[in-house]
Amino acid sequence: MSRVVEGLELEAISEEELSEVLDTKELVFARISPAQKLQIVKALQKKGEVVSVTGDGVNDAPALKNADMGVAMGIIGTDVAKEAANMILMDDNFSSIVAAVEEGRTIFENIKKFIAYVLTSNVPEITPFIAYVLLSIPLPLTVVLILAIDLGTDIVPSLGLGAEKAETDVMRKPPRKKTERLLTRNLLGMSYGIVGMAQAASGFTSYFIVLFKGGWTWGQDLPSDNPMYRTAITAFFASIIICQIADVLICRTRRQSIFSVGLFTNKLIYVGIATELTLLFLISYVPILNTFFGTTRLSWWHYLLSVPFAIAILIGDETRRFFVRRENAFVLKWLTW
């Protein structure tokens, strides 16, 4: 249904009637005064809408000033309109507004992807200390290796997520709520409760397999220079890195399949993955770094211990996104970040 409302008709209707008129899908206001423009802006805001107003003249200034986003024309706009606006459109091209909205949405989503990736590794970093206190086992991950993750292996992949291109459906989604925050309950739940716990499980699996295979018994204390202990903590460290590679891949998209955006469209991600693997091998195989980090050489099968967990993270999140795209109620409520 479409409707055209002129200024004289707008003068004769009440606020309640105007609110009903604003529910019309295709609505045009014509020949209205500056005061009526302001009236429409306030009526829309009262309905909880985020209002953007474009204008170029002195008469547009009240509406530009009171809108959530006032956009003045940069070429033909008056100084009064530019002063009242939040943003000046330098080329007077309305398509530039669409491009700006797309860029803003992309930046917001990329920041969330960055946060989701960085938070995840906190779980496999803190759980070894909890297990060390509660279970009386040798410390599965040392502080210096945690620093190697936070200040070394995680840096470049995080930057890669910040450079991720917009998902193809970014402009088809409705505007996010004004109350939506970068750090949400669902983001914390996914990072800490699901992916982070999977990484921790991978680390502990590698750690205990190495210990039990080496003849360790529960309650046995191991000195920090024990070869078996060094192998176990190096395997725990390697498990985090391998699972973080899977994590950075799933963080590239929030709704779309990773295959639809292109596996190799973001080269910085793969530079980051290469950096992670390089640091892992340097810390594992260079003698001077072995001494500094308390690590040792790993056999090929040590790396394979965490691969099933990495694959599970990839498949699990691909499945989650599948249900997100099909608007599954449970997934949208609890597993969408």
Side-chain angles (χ1 to χ4, degrees):
M1 180 181 177
S2 60
R3 183 175 177 181
V4 177
V5 179
E6 294 189 357
L8 291 176
E9 182 182 354
L10 185 58
E11 287 180 0
I13 63 177
S14 63
E15 287 189 10
E16 292 75 14
E17 291 172 324
L18 176 58
S19 180
E20 293 179 5
V21 169
L22 292 173
D23 290 329
T24 307
K25 285 189 176 181
E26 297 179 8
L27 180 62
V28 176
F29 289 98
R31 299 174 182 173
I32 58 176
S33 66
Q36 289 173 327
K37 292 179 184 179
L38 181 58
Q39 179 186 1
I40 294 168
V41 169
K42 291 183 175 180
L44 286 168
Q45 291 173 331
K46 191 174 181 180
K47 291 171 69 68
E49 302 289 348
V50 177
V51 184
S52 179
V53 173
T54 60
D56 54 19
V58 175
N59 291 342
D60 298 318
L64 288 169
K65 186 69 174 178
N66 285 273
D68 295 289
M69 173 58 71
V71 183
M73 301 297 104
I75 299 175
I76 64 173
T78 63
D79 291 339
V80 175
K82 293 177 184 178
E83 189 69 26
N86 303 103
M87 182 174 72
I88 299 174
L89 196 60
M90 300 304 296
D91 59 0
D92 287 9
N93 187 344
F94 288 120
S95 63
S96 297
I97 298 177
V98 179
V101 171
E102 181 177 1
E103 185 69 20
R105 289 186 174 190
T106 302
I107 292 171
F108 184 86
E109 292 205 348
N110 285 353
I111 294 174
K112 295 198 77 166
K113 294 171 184 177
F114 172 92
I115 293 173
Y117 172 74
V118 171
L119 289 181
T120 302
S121 60
N122 289 346
V123 178
E125 289 174 352
I126 193 64
T127 47
F129 291 90
I130 298 174
Y132 171 71
V133 173
L134 297 181
L135 304 179
S136 298
I137 61 174
L139 183 62
L141 190 67
T142 60
V143 173
V144 68
L145 286 176
I146 291 176
L147 293 175
I149 295 170
D150 291 341
L151 303 180
T153 62
D154 275 359
I155 297 297
V156 182
S158 302
L159 296 175
L161 290 173
E164 192 69 42
K165 294 182 180 178
E167 298 182 40
T168 56
D169 66 343
V170 68
M171 292 302 288
R172 292 198 293 269
K173 294 186 292 185
R176 63 180 181 270
K177 297 178 181 178
K178 289 193 290 185
T179 56
E180 183 177 343
R181 298 291 181 263
L182 285 168
L183 198 61
T184 62
R185 176 196 63 191
N186 285 8
L187 190 150
L188 290 172
M190 285 293 300
S191 295
Y192 286 157
I194 298 178
V195 182
M197 292 304 294
Q199 290 192 18
S202 171
F204 280 109
T205 299
S206 300
Y207 179 75
F208 283 117
I209 286 178
V210 170
L211 288 185
F212 287 128
K213 190 176 178 63
W216 178 77
T217 57
W218 200 275
Q220 178 184 351
D221 192 21
L222 294 175
S224 60
D225 59 351
N226 182 283
M228 179 175 61
Y229 174 68
R230 287 194 167 201
T231 303
I233 64 171
T234 308
F236 196 113
F237 173 72
S239 296
I240 297 176
I241 302 304
I242 292 171
C243 286
Q244 277 292 79
I245 292 173
D247 187 27
V248 75
L249 292 176
I250 67 173
C251 285
R252 289 188 60 196
T253 64
R254 296 177 61 198
R255 291 174 56 91
Q256 291 185 295
S257 168
I258 186 67
F259 302 103
S260 67
V261 299
L263 288 174
F264 303 102
T265 53
N266 188 343
K267 294 181 180 179
L268 189 54
I269 289 289
Y270 292 95
V271 172
I273 292 173
T275 302
E276 286 186 301
L277 293 174
T278 300
L279 288 173
L280 170 60
F281 290 128
L282 288 174
I283 291 172
S284 300
Y285 293 103
V286 176
I288 190 172
L289 295 181
N290 290 159
T291 302
F292 180 79
F293 288 100
T295 55
T296 190
R297 298 171 63 90
L298 294 178
S299 300
W300 61 269
W301 64 270
H302 292 129
Y303 298 104
L304 296 181
L305 294 174
S306 57
V307 171
F309 293 90
I311 293 174
I313 290 171
L314 288 169
I315 295 176
D317 204 72
E318 188 68 25
T319 303
R320 179 192 67 83
R321 291 193 295 269
F322 173 83
F323 285 109
V324 168
R325 293 192 299 274
R326 278 147 187 80
E327 298 184 348
N328 179 275
F330 175 83
V331 175
L332 288 176
K333 183 178 180 179
W334 298 106
L335 300 178
T336 301
W337 51 271

